Amino acid sequence: MSGLFAIFAGVIQGLLEVFPVSSFGHIIVLASFMDIEIVGGVLFESMLHLGSMVAIILYFKKDFKKIGEEFIGLCLDIFNNIMKFIKNKRTGSHYAYNDLTSGTYRRSTILFLISMLPTMILGFTARRIVAYCSASTVMTGIGFLLTAVFLIVIDFSKVGGKKTPQLVSNADALWIGIMQGISVFPGVSRLGLTVGTGLLCGFNLKFAFKYSYMLSVPAIFGAVLSQLVHFGGADMDFGIILFILVGTIVAGITTYTVIRSFMRIVQNVKLRIFAFYCFIIGLFVLFRHYGAL
């Protein structure tokens, strides 16, 4: 793996992480074209996403600050309710319990926690299969086609609504988390699956994108933590580590630049555009693999 490839990969990651087209699927295709072996595989993917994660946190910093405060408040309220429950049982008192769901940001915090649960479970159980699929251009092409079918169905179904965090159900959050967990395979767009599921659950398009962007942060953080041990692998010399870090920085800068522009126009975006694109590149990848191109 070269420094030039790491830079290209960082740019692709930053450009396409904001759109529902699977950024890592494109990086696998790029590596195939350049006849380059991606050292570290899933580790390299995770680090590129780490750059995007930092960019997303910076862009939505006010929201993340509020959610962080509400998470601490939620933990304190749960602890206080447990103590009140114990005291009520022991003394026969009737102390009122703290409301755990009051406020928009408190509700958003709970929704994110619910969405994270299936993502963590599916991501952990599928990690070996994902590593195998990441080395296959065929699986990447299939992933692109699956994304295309999902997006085109969502777009032409004209689903969507006006749900705010207070109106989003626990089941909605759970389904979005499940789809995020499924999207760990190359070519399958995490953003496409979660945004589409959000629309099916009654989100408007802008809220669906925002929820999906912010939900990616804990998923990426968990993926990075699970891959850090591979930095000590036998194939990880100083040069490779430097290339990975360069790609991470480039991905972060590019993601922040693109997301600032995209969020201004997101409400008018048509998912069918990304569906057609995924369909074309998916077929191209498969035809090229089987020698038709």
Side-chain angles (χ1 to χ4, degrees), residues 78-247:
I78 291 174
F79 177 77
N80 288 332
N81 283 350
I82 292 173
M83 298 305 295
K84 288 178 180 179
F85 175 79
I86 294 173
K87 194 166 187 178
N88 287 343
K89 285 294 183 180
R90 285 182 176 177
T91 64
S93 302
H94 296 86
Y95 290 103
Y97 295 110
N98 296 347
D99 184 3
L100 299 179
T101 61
S102 60
T104 299
Y105 281 104
R106 174 63 65 86
R107 180 59 184 159
S108 296
T109 303
I110 294 172
L111 293 173
F112 284 137
L113 291 173
I114 294 172
S115 293
M116 284 167 53
L117 183 60
T119 296
M120 290 188 298
I121 294 173
L122 291 171
F124 179 78
T125 55
R127 65 191 188 283
R128 292 183 179 177
I129 302 176
V130 172
Y132 171 78
C133 292
S134 296
S136 170
T137 53
V138 173
M139 295 304 299
T140 302
I142 292 173
F144 278 119
L145 293 180
L146 291 175
T147 299
V149 171
F150 183 76
L151 289 177
I152 203 71
V153 169
I154 293 296
D155 190 85
F156 283 99
S157 297
K158 299 186 182 301
V159 292
K162 299 181 179 180
K163 278 189 178 180
T164 62
Q166 292 286 22
L167 298 176
V168 176
S169 68
N170 294 341
D172 294 338
L174 191 65
W175 276 112
I176 292 173
I178 290 172
M179 296 304 280
Q180 179 166 260
I182 293 173
S183 68
V184 294
F185 296 96
V188 178
S189 171
R190 184 202 65 81
L191 190 64
L193 265 60
T194 52
V195 166
T197 305
L199 292 175
L200 284 171
C201 292
F203 296 15
N204 67 49
L205 191 59
K206 187 171 184 177
F207 179 42
F209 268 96
K210 182 177 180 179
Y211 189 92
S212 182
Y213 288 143
M214 295 183 68
L215 184 61
S216 71
V217 168
I220 294 171
F221 185 71
V224 171
L225 285 180
S226 68
Q227 292 296 316
L228 286 179
V229 294
H230 297 294
F231 266 118
D235 55 349
M236 286 292 161
D237 57 29
F238 176 78
I240 295 299
I241 293 175
L242 181 61
F243 294 157
I244 291 175
L245 293 179
V246 168

Side-chain angles (χ1 to χ4, degrees), residues 19-73:
F19 306 123
V21 294
S22 180
S23 56
F24 192 61
H26 284 78
I27 293 170
I28 292 175
V29 174
L30 175 65
S32 175
F33 269 107
M34 296 179 67
D35 195 24
I36 291 176
E37 179 184 358
I38 302 178
V39 179
V42 179
L43 169 64
F44 184 55
E45 175 198 6
S46 299
M47 291 301 294
L48 291 178
H49 278 86
L50 177 63
S52 294
M53 182 192 81
V54 174
I56 291 169
I57 291 174
L58 290 175
Y59 184 79
F60 294 108
K61 56 182 180 295
K62 293 181 180 178
D63 296 289
F64 279 112
K65 181 182 178 182
K66 287 285 188 181
I67 287 175
E69 292 171 350
E70 290 297 337
F71 177 72
I72 294 173

